[in-house]
Amino acid sequence: MSKHRRFLIAGNWKMNGLQAALDNIVVVADRLAATPPRECAVLICPPATLVADAARRAGESLDIGAQDCHPAAKGAHTGDISAQMIADAGARYVIVGHSERRADHGETDGEVRAKAQAAIDAGLTPIVCVGETLAEREADETLEIVGAQLRGSVPVGESAVVVAYEPVWAIGTGLTPTAEQIAQTHTAIRAILSEMRRDAASVKILYGGSMKPDNAAEILAIANVDGGLIGGASLDPQSFLKIVAAGESAG
Ligand code: PGA
């Protein structure tokens, strides 16, 4: 039986990929065009330098997104990129509030929400990231931390948003929470979203953090997991496509 929300399988290339990596966009797009997934929408978020070319080369079967945007529409913000520029480059999504940006750039929940709102205003779907650190997990504060991040970072209203639950300690480490821990957190996220938004039942909640071809099917089968945000394993087109295939069979 199909889950009622189609999966979103999203690759986050982070600060990886020179011009030659556009070939990997084409490999993924061609495969999806040849065998269109029924249960998954597929997205790749390359670095900003590749977004426009990636969007041109991806065709209809693969969506392209960016990894961050500025909250303002335009102005004197040297080095920043607005959501409108990202949309103008042909992207449809933007990741906001990734834990690496929260840590490296001190982004607060309020800034993340402003970025997500800017994305919505530009016609993009924001992917708002939340997740606890290892110390917070060990102190049994996961639901409290994630709840506060959601309330502070996710815009209210009814414009489409995606939430990504990414435990900081699982990102790039090869560690993942147990299926029970993922189920508990995703179910709590759904409950908090329903206090915030009338469309909570249809908001996609992605899991991210060391999702790979060999654990994707198990993770995607968990209740309230509507897809994945995949870092390392999205850099190799074949391993990324295997995760899409896992979504096809788990859907
Ligand atoms: P990872 O990264 O899959 O390499 O753990 C996930 C992310 O940070 O989005």
Coordinates of all heavy atoms in Angstrom, one line a residue, residues 25-75:
I25 N 24.5 15.3 -12.6 CA 23.1 15.8 -12.7 C 22.4 15.1 -13.9 O 21.3 14.6 -13.8 CB 23.0 17.3 -12.9 CG1 23.7 18.0 -11.7 CG2 21.6 17.8 -13.2 CD1 22.8 18.1 -10.5
V26 N 23.2 15.1 -15.0 CA 22.6 14.5 -16.3 C 22.4 13.0 -16.1 O 21.4 12.4 -16.6 CB 23.5 14.8 -17.5 CG1 23.0 14.2 -18.7 CG2 23.6 16.4 -17.6
V27 N 23.3 12.3 -15.5 CA 23.2 10.9 -15.2 C 21.9 10.6 -14.5 O 21.1 9.7 -14.8 CB 24.4 10.3 -14.5 CG1 24.1 8.9 -14.0 CG2 25.7 10.3 -15.4
V28 N 21.7 11.3 -13.4 CA 20.5 11.1 -12.6 C 19.2 11.5 -13.4 O 18.3 10.7 -13.4 CB 20.6 11.9 -11.3 CG1 19.3 11.8 -10.5 CG2 21.8 11.4 -10.4
A29 N 19.3 12.6 -14.0 CA 18.1 13.1 -14.8 C 17.7 12.1 -15.9 O 16.5 11.8 -16.1 CB 18.3 14.5 -15.3
D30 N 18.7 11.6 -16.6 CA 18.4 10.7 -17.7 C 17.8 9.4 -17.2 O 16.9 8.9 -17.8 CB 19.7 10.4 -18.5 CG 20.1 11.5 -19.4 OD1 19.4 12.5 -19.5 OD2 21.2 11.4 -20.0
R31 N 18.3 8.9 -16.1 CA 17.8 7.7 -15.5 C 16.3 7.9 -15.1 O 15.4 7.1 -15.3 CB 18.6 7.2 -14.3 CG 18.0 6.0 -13.6 CD 18.2 4.7 -14.3 NE 19.6 4.4 -14.2 CZ 20.1 3.8 -13.1 NH1 19.4 3.4 -12.1 NH2 21.4 3.5 -13.0
L32 N 16.1 9.0 -14.4 CA 14.7 9.3 -14.0 C 13.7 9.5 -15.1 O 12.6 9.1 -15.1 CB 14.7 10.6 -13.1 CG 15.5 10.5 -11.8 CD1 15.5 11.8 -11.1 CD2 14.9 9.4 -10.9
A33 N 14.3 10.1 -16.2 CA 13.4 10.3 -17.4 C 13.1 9.0 -18.1 O 12.0 8.7 -18.5 CB 14.1 11.2 -18.4
A34 N 14.1 8.1 -18.0 CA 13.9 6.7 -18.7 C 12.9 5.9 -17.8 O 12.1 5.1 -18.4 CB 15.2 6.0 -18.8
T35 N 13.0 6.0 -16.5 CA 12.2 5.2 -15.6 C 11.6 6.1 -14.6 O 12.1 6.3 -13.5 CB 13.0 4.1 -14.9 OG1 14.0 3.6 -15.8 CG2 12.2 3.0 -14.3
P36 N 10.5 6.8 -14.9 CA 10.0 7.8 -14.0 C 9.5 7.2 -12.7 O 8.7 6.2 -12.7 CB 8.8 8.4 -14.8 CG 9.0 8.1 -16.2 CD 9.8 6.8 -16.2
P37 N 10.0 7.7 -11.6 CA 9.6 7.1 -10.3 C 8.1 7.4 -10.0 O 7.7 8.5 -10.3 CB 10.5 7.8 -9.2 CG 11.3 8.8 -10.0 CD 11.0 8.8 -11.4
R38 N 7.4 6.5 -9.4 CA 6.0 6.7 -9.1 C 5.8 7.2 -7.7 O 5.0 8.0 -7.4 CB 5.2 5.4 -9.2 CG 4.9 5.0 -10.7 CD 3.9 3.9 -10.7 NE 4.4 2.8 -9.9 CZ 5.2 1.8 -10.3 NH1 5.6 1.8 -11.5 NH2 5.6 0.8 -9.5
E39 N 6.7 6.8 -6.8 CA 6.6 7.1 -5.4 C 7.4 8.2 -4.9 O 7.3 8.6 -3.7 CB 6.9 5.8 -4.5 CG 6.1 4.6 -4.9 CD 4.6 4.7 -4.6 OE1 4.3 5.6 -3.8 OE2 3.9 3.9 -5.1
C40 N 8.3 8.7 -5.7 CA 9.3 9.7 -5.3 C 9.4 10.9 -6.2 O 9.4 10.7 -7.4 CB 10.7 9.1 -5.3 SG 11.0 7.6 -4.4
A41 N 9.5 12.1 -5.6 CA 10.0 13.2 -6.4 C 11.5 13.3 -6.0 O 11.9 12.9 -4.9 CB 9.3 14.5 -5.9
V42 N 12.3 13.8 -6.9 CA 13.7 13.7 -6.7 C 14.3 15.1 -6.9 O 13.9 15.8 -7.9 CB 14.4 12.7 -7.7 CG1 15.9 12.5 -7.3 CG2 13.7 11.3 -7.6
L43 N 15.2 15.5 -6.0 CA 15.8 16.8 -6.0 C 17.3 16.7 -5.7 O 17.7 15.9 -4.9 CB 15.1 17.6 -4.8 CG 15.7 18.9 -4.3 CD1 15.5 20.0 -5.4 CD2 15.1 19.3 -3.0
I44 N 18.0 17.6 -6.4 CA 19.5 17.7 -6.0 C 19.7 19.2 -5.8 O 19.3 20.0 -6.5 CB 20.4 17.2 -7.1 CG1 20.3 15.6 -7.2 CG2 21.9 17.5 -6.9 CD1 21.2 15.0 -8.3
C45 N 20.4 19.4 -4.6 CA 20.8 20.8 -4.3 C 22.3 20.9 -4.4 O 23.1 20.6 -3.5 CB 20.4 21.1 -2.8 SG 18.6 20.9 -2.6
P46 N 22.8 21.3 -5.6 CA 24.3 21.5 -5.8 C 24.7 22.8 -5.2 O 23.9 23.6 -4.8 CB 24.4 21.5 -7.3 CG 23.1 22.0 -7.8 CD 22.1 21.7 -6.7
P47 N 26.0 23.1 -5.2 CA 26.5 24.4 -4.7 C 25.9 25.5 -5.6 O 25.6 25.2 -6.8 CB 28.0 24.3 -4.8 CG 28.3 23.1 -5.6 CD 27.1 22.2 -5.5
A48 N 25.9 26.7 -5.1 CA 25.3 27.8 -5.8 C 25.8 28.0 -7.2 O 25.1 28.4 -8.1 CB 25.4 29.1 -5.0
T49 N 27.1 27.8 -7.4 CA 27.8 28.0 -8.7 C 27.2 27.1 -9.8 O 27.4 27.4 -10.9 CB 29.3 27.7 -8.6 OG1 29.5 26.5 -7.9 CG2 30.0 28.9 -7.8
L50 N 26.6 26.0 -9.4 CA 26.1 25.0 -10.4 C 24.6 25.1 -10.5 O 24.1 24.4 -11.4 CB 26.5 23.6 -10.0 CG 28.0 23.4 -9.9 CD1 28.3 21.9 -9.6 CD2 28.7 23.7 -11.2
V51 N 23.9 25.9 -9.7 CA 22.4 25.8 -9.7 C 21.8 26.1 -11.1 O 21.0 25.3 -11.6 CB 21.8 26.7 -8.6 CG1 20.3 26.9 -8.8 CG2 22.1 26.1 -7.3
A52 N 22.2 27.2 -11.7 CA 21.6 27.5 -13.0 C 21.9 26.5 -14.1 O 20.9 26.1 -14.8 CB 22.1 28.9 -13.4
D53 N 23.1 26.1 -14.2 CA 23.4 25.1 -15.2 C 22.7 23.7 -14.9 O 22.3 23.0 -15.8 CB 24.9 24.9 -15.4 CG 25.6 26.0 -16.2 OD1 24.9 26.5 -17.1 OD2 26.7 26.3 -15.9
A54 N 22.7 23.4 -13.6 CA 22.1 22.1 -13.2 C 20.6 22.2 -13.6 O 20.0 21.2 -14.2 CB 22.2 21.9 -11.7
A55 N 19.9 23.3 -13.3 CA 18.5 23.4 -13.7 C 18.3 23.3 -15.2 O 17.3 22.7 -15.6 CB 18.0 24.7 -13.1
R56 N 19.2 23.9 -15.9 CA 19.1 23.8 -17.4 C 19.2 22.4 -17.9 O 18.5 22.0 -18.8 CB 20.1 24.7 -18.1 CG 19.6 26.1 -18.5 CD 20.6 26.8 -19.4 NE 21.8 27.3 -18.6 CZ 21.9 28.4 -17.9 NH1 20.8 29.2 -17.9 NH2 23.0 28.7 -17.3
R57 N 20.1 21.7 -17.3 CA 20.4 20.3 -17.8 C 19.6 19.2 -17.1 O 19.6 18.1 -17.6 CB 21.9 20.0 -17.6 CG 22.7 21.0 -18.5 CD 24.2 20.8 -18.3 NE 24.7 19.6 -18.8 CZ 26.0 19.2 -18.8 NH1 26.9 20.1 -18.4 NH2 26.3 18.0 -19.2
A58 N 18.8 19.6 -16.1 CA 18.1 18.5 -15.4 C 16.8 18.1 -16.1 O 16.4 16.9 -15.9 CB 17.8 19.0 -14.0
G59 N 16.3 18.9 -16.9 CA 15.0 18.6 -17.5 C 13.9 18.5 -16.5 O 13.9 19.1 -15.4
E60 N 12.8 17.8 -16.9 CA 11.6 17.8 -16.1 C 11.6 16.7 -15.0 O 10.8 16.8 -14.1 CB 10.4 17.4 -17.0 CG 10.1 18.4 -18.1 CD 9.7 19.8 -17.5 OE1 8.8 19.8 -16.7 OE2 10.4 20.8 -17.9
S61 N 12.5 15.7 -15.1 CA 12.4 14.6 -14.2 C 13.1 14.9 -12.8 O 12.8 14.2 -11.9 CB 13.0 13.4 -14.8 OG 14.3 13.6 -15.2
L62 N 13.9 15.8 -12.8 CA 14.7 16.1 -11.6 C 14.6 17.6 -11.2 O 14.8 18.4 -12.1 CB 16.2 15.7 -11.9 CG 17.3 16.1 -10.9 CD1 17.1 15.3 -9.6 CD2 18.7 15.8 -11.5
D63 N 14.3 17.8 -10.0 CA 14.3 19.2 -9.5 C 15.6 19.6 -9.0 O 16.4 18.8 -8.5 CB 13.2 19.4 -8.4 CG 11.8 19.6 -8.9 OD1 11.7 20.2 -10.0 OD2 10.9 19.0 -8.3
I64 N 15.9 20.9 -9.0 CA 17.1 21.5 -8.5 C 16.8 22.5 -7.4 O 15.8 23.2 -7.5 CB 17.9 22.2 -9.7 CG1 18.3 21.1 -10.8 CG2 19.2 22.9 -9.1 CD1 19.2 20.0 -10.3
G65 N 17.7 22.5 -6.4 CA 17.5 23.4 -5.3 C 18.8 24.0 -4.9 O 19.9 23.6 -5.3
A66 N 18.7 25.0 -4.0 CA 19.9 25.7 -3.5 C 20.1 25.3 -2.0 O 19.2 24.6 -1.5 CB 19.9 27.2 -3.7
Q67 N 21.2 25.7 -1.4 CA 21.5 25.2 0.0 C 21.3 26.3 1.0 O 21.4 26.0 2.2 CB 22.9 24.7 0.0 CG 23.2 23.6 -0.9 CD 24.6 23.2 -1.0 OE1 25.4 23.6 -0.2 NE2 25.0 22.4 -1.9
D68 N 21.0 27.5 0.6 CA 20.8 28.6 1.5 C 20.3 29.8 0.7 O 20.5 29.9 -0.5 CB 22.2 29.0 2.2 CG 22.0 30.2 3.1 OD1 21.1 30.2 3.9 OD2 22.8 31.2 3.0
C69 N 19.6 30.8 1.4 CA 19.3 32.0 0.7 C 19.3 33.1 1.8 O 19.3 32.8 3.0 CB 17.9 32.0 0.1 SG 16.5 31.8 1.2
H70 N 19.4 34.4 1.4 CA 19.4 35.5 2.3 C 17.9 35.9 2.5 O 17.1 35.7 1.6 CB 20.1 36.7 1.6 CG 20.3 37.8 2.6 ND1 19.4 38.8 2.9 CD2 21.4 38.1 3.3 CE1 19.9 39.6 3.8 NE2 21.1 39.3 4.0
P71 N 17.6 36.4 3.7 CA 16.2 36.7 4.0 C 15.7 37.9 3.2 O 14.4 38.0 3.0 CB 16.1 37.0 5.5 CG 17.5 37.1 5.9 CD 18.4 36.4 4.9
A72 N 16.6 38.8 2.7 CA 16.1 40.0 2.0 C 16.0 39.6 0.5 O 16.6 38.7 0.0 CB 17.1 41.1 2.2
A73 N 15.1 40.4 -0.2 CA 14.9 40.1 -1.6 C 16.1 40.6 -2.5 O 16.4 40.0 -3.5 CB 13.6 40.8 -2.1
K74 N 16.7 41.7 -2.0 CA 17.9 42.2 -2.7 C 18.5 43.3 -1.9 O 18.0 43.6 -0.8 CB 17.4 42.8 -4.1 CG 16.5 44.0 -3.9 CD 16.1 44.6 -5.3 CE 15.2 45.7 -5.1 NZ 14.8 46.4 -6.3
G75 N 19.7 43.8 -2.3 CA 20.3 44.9 -1.5 C 21.7 44.7 -1.3 O 22.4 43.8 -1.9

